[in-house]
């Protein structure tokens, strides 16, 4: 690996101009706490940006999903229908509640929750009481890599079977479906501000909903479920899940540049698409849906059954100090969740086998893009190098 060349990361933090100002303000006013004016302002700004009435700023996206599940009354023995093709945070949050994740395959346009497999899962679980004794508490679609799931169909199923939706919008902040922001389409939505997401607070998350009592409950549970009393009084188990006022300051600065970051990432994605078309690689697949606008958090492509093996491409670029990453390994294929029910075929599995995420950071330079282009052109000339 050529260590002399600067590393091009898959997706690295990209600060704007005002984050440090907000952090300084937190220091100067001594609001170094998991509450404070930046937390309140960040929540309001998130509400406004997403067109949703209530938001709670939290310590992570996983914490947001966990609280969403608790708010819907998820308990041991219940089922939660979760997209299999996702990051482990979605499934782990379900596991924390003691419920069983039921994994669902993806559909081909968005690579997200397959409505047919979803409906099959519901009908099977509800009709086979002996095999599936628990209740279904939620449907958890994921807007993977920033691409909204097929929400018309998912919402219709949610209404038909009266099962609420928790959107895992950890990767899709700013993306929209029929003009509505992801996170505001279902009953509850979770965002992540982890270090590699489209905007970051270094670590953080948020839970959003139009139902005031749910977000109030989230704030209560996130601060150790402290009852109103001068002493510390608790009538239920809580969590330490609030976002620091210092980090909320970073979030406020980041939110100001979010639309710019989305444009930059969409531009990077389009650059890859243009290269593939210029090189005549018309078999390269991508997520798409005419009803949606993806934030293109990661430029993810399906290299399909071709000579261009994703692992060979990944290793060739790694030699040039360029980071690529396989697509998420589906949860039903993870050792830790191998006992959980699964509905669908092998679409998510195929995407995992054939797909690759290319560098997508909004702080990449023209020079970085030229290096990636050159490395990919070399790969193309020699698709399966004997590299070891
Ligand atoms: C990042 C991510 C999460 C978890 O967010 P954290 O802030 O890292 O806890 C959950 N789901 C998906 C799809 C993610 O990409």
């Amino acid at each position: 690996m050529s260590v002399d060349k600067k590393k091009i990361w898959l997706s690295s933090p990209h600060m704007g101009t005002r984050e440090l100002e907000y952090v300084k303000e937190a220091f100067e006013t001594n609001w170094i706490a998991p509450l404070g004016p930046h937390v309140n302002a960040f929540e309001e700004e998130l509400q406004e940006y997403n067109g949703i009435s209530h938001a709670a700023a939290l310590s992570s996206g996983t914490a947001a999903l966990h609280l969403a599940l608790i708010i819907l009354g998820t308990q041991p023995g219940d089922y939660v229908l979760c997209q299999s093709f996702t990051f482990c945070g979605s499934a782990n949050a379900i596991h924390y509640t003691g419920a069983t994740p039921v994994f669902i395959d993806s559909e081909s346009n968005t690579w997200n929750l397959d409505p047919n497999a979803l409906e099959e899962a519901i009908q099977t679980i509800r009709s086979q009481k002996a095999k599936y004794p628990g209740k279904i508490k939620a449907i958890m679609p994921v807007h993977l890599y920033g691409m909204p799931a097929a929400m018309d169909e998912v919402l219709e199923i949610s209404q038909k079977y009266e099962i609420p939706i928790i959107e895992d919008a950890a990767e899709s902040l700013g993306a929209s479906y029929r003009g509505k922001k992801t996170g505001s389409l279902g009953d509850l939505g979770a965002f992540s501000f982890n270090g590699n997401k489209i905007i970051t607070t270094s670590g953080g998350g948020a839970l959003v909903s139009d139902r005031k009592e749910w977000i109030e409950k989230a704030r209560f549970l996130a601060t150790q479920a402290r009852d109103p009393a001068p002493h510390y009084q608790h009538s239920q188990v809580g969590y330490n899940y609030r976002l620091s006022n210092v980090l909320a300051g970073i979030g406020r600065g980041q939110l100001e540049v979010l639309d710019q970051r989305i444009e930059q990432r969409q531009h990077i994605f389009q650059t890859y698409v243009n290269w593939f078309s210029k090189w005549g690689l018309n078999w390269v697949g991508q997520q798409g849906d005419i009803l949606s606008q993806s934030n293109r958090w990661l430029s993810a492509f399906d290299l399909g059954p071709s000579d261009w093996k994703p692992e060979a491409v990944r290793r060739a670029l790694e030699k040039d100090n360029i980071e690529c990453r396989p697509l998420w390994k589906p949860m039903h294929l993870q050792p830790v969740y191998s006992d959980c029910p699964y509905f669908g075929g092998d679409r998510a599995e195929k995407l995992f086998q054939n797909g690759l995420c290319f560098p997508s950071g909004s702080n990449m330079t023209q020079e970085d893009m030229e290096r990636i282009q050159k490395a990919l052109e070399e790969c193309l000339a020699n698709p399966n190098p004997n590299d070891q």
Side-chain angles (χ1 to χ4, degrees):
M1 190 188 296
S2 52
V3 281
D4 51 319
K5 280 191 188 158
K6 186 191 97 183
K7 174 144 183 170
I8 300 178
W9 297 93
L10 182 72
S11 173
S12 70
H14 185 183
M15 291 296 112
T17 49
R18 299 203 47 209
E19 289 83 347
L20 205 52
E21 227 173 274
Y22 288 121
V23 169
K24 268 196 190 135
E25 196 180 311
F27 272 66
E28 280 159 12
T29 54
N30 205 29
W31 275 106
I32 315 292
L35 79 172
H38 282 332
V39 173
N40 299 342
F42 186 45
E43 288 177 344
E44 276 168 29
E45 288 155 10
L46 276 172
Q47 286 160 201
E48 189 171 339
Y49 183 86
N50 291 298
I52 193 139
S53 336
H54 304 282
L58 301 168
S59 56
S60 73
T62 310
L65 292 169
H66 186 198
L67 293 184
L69 289 158
I70 294 171
I71 286 163
L72 294 180
T74 313
Q75 289 173 349
D78 290 336
Y79 299 112
V80 176
L81 307 175
C82 176
Q83 183 168 324
S84 183
F85 192 41
T86 184
F87 172 68
C88 68
S90 328
N92 288 348
I94 298 167
H95 185 84
Y96 298 162
T97 66
T100 301
V102 174
F103 295 116
I104 312 287
D105 202 3
S106 292
E107 50 87 21
S108 55
N109 293 334
T110 68
W111 302 359
N112 292 314
L113 203 57
D114 175 359
N116 294 325
L118 175 67
E119 192 158 23
E120 187 202 332
I122 296 169
Q123 288 175 352
T124 306
I125 289 171
R126 291 204 171 154
S127 63
Q128 300 181 16
K129 280 278 155 234
K131 189 167 176 199
Y132 300 100
K135 283 202 188 96
I136 304 170
K137 283 299 172 68
I139 299 169
M140 194 185 286
V142 186
H143 309 302
L144 223 54
Y145 306 122
M147 170 60 63
M151 290 305 289
D152 277 359
E153 289 86 347
V154 176
L155 283 159
E156 198 186 307
I157 291 171
S158 156
Q159 275 151 23
K160 180 170 166 192
Y161 295 95
E162 298 183 344
I163 307 168
I165 294 174
I166 301 171
E167 288 176 80
D168 181 343
E171 301 181 359
S172 66
L173 183 64
S176 55
Y177 184 87
R178 287 191 185 274
K180 272 192 91 179
K181 291 279 179 1
T182 57
S184 73
L185 297 149
D187 297 86
L188 290 142
F191 295 117
S192 166
F193 312 116
N194 195 36
N196 60 359
K197 297 282 154 69
I198 196 155
I199 61 166
T200 182
T201 59
S202 79
L207 184 67
V208 298
S209 176
D210 275 325
R211 286 192 43 182
K212 187 170 177 221
E213 71 275 20
W214 281 353
I215 298 305
E216 279 173 353
K217 176 116 192 247
R219 290 201 190 95
F220 167 74
L221 289 170
T223 46
Q224 303 288 21
R226 190 179 165 197
D227 295 332
H231 60 280
Y232 276 72
Q233 175 79 19
H234 304 276
S235 38
Q236 56 180 303
V237 174
Y239 303 86
N240 183 4
Y241 276 173
R242 273 301 242 168
L243 184 69
S244 147
N245 189 62
V246 179
L247 302 187
I250 303 178
R252 294 187 68 191
Q254 286 274 277
L255 215 41
E256 289 173 15
V257 292
L258 174 57
D259 282 334
Q260 212 177 310
R261 298 292 177 264
I262 294 172
E263 264 178 48
Q264 288 161 320
R265 298 228 182 203
Q266 289 171 338
H267 177 75
I268 291 163
F269 180 84
Q270 195 51 47
T271 303
Y272 288 113
V273 171
N274 294 346
W275 291 346
F276 296 146
S277 122
K278 191 174 83 181
W279 300 332
L281 310 183
N282 46 18
W283 36 262
V284 173
Q286 54 173 277
Q287 297 166 288
D289 181 346
I290 46 161
L291 299 175
S292 290
Q293 187 138 48
S294 169
N295 68 12
R296 300 293 180 192
W297 168 56
L298 291 186
S299 286
F301 292 96
D302 177 3
L303 305 182
S306 69
D307 284 346
W308 235 29
K309 296 281 173 260
E311 185 51 16
V313 176
R314 193 190 67 76
R315 278 168 47 191
L317 268 67
E318 193 178 43
K319 283 194 168 165
D320 210 16
N321 218 8
I322 298 168
E323 184 186 26
C324 293
R325 192 192 284 159
L327 303 193
W328 299 124
K329 181 172 180 178
M331 288 302 121
H332 72 281
L333 301 175
Q334 299 284 358
V336 66
Y337 290 120
S338 57
D339 290 344
C340 297
Y342 172 72
F343 290 86
D346 62 357
R347 194 165 274 134
E349 185 172 0
K350 284 262 162 56
L351 284 165
F352 168 60
Q353 281 166 3
N354 297 330
L356 196 63
C357 296
F358 293 98
S360 313
S362 47
N363 49 4
M364 287 195 296
T365 61
Q366 186 60 32
E367 218 171 84
D368 292 338
M369 287 307 284
E370 281 163 16
R371 248 177 76 198
I372 298 167
Q373 181 178 9
K374 197 161 154 279
L376 285 174
E377 278 170 343
E378 276 168 23
C379 253
L380 201 58
N382 183 16
N384 282 307
N386 260 335
D387 52 9
Q388 238 82 58

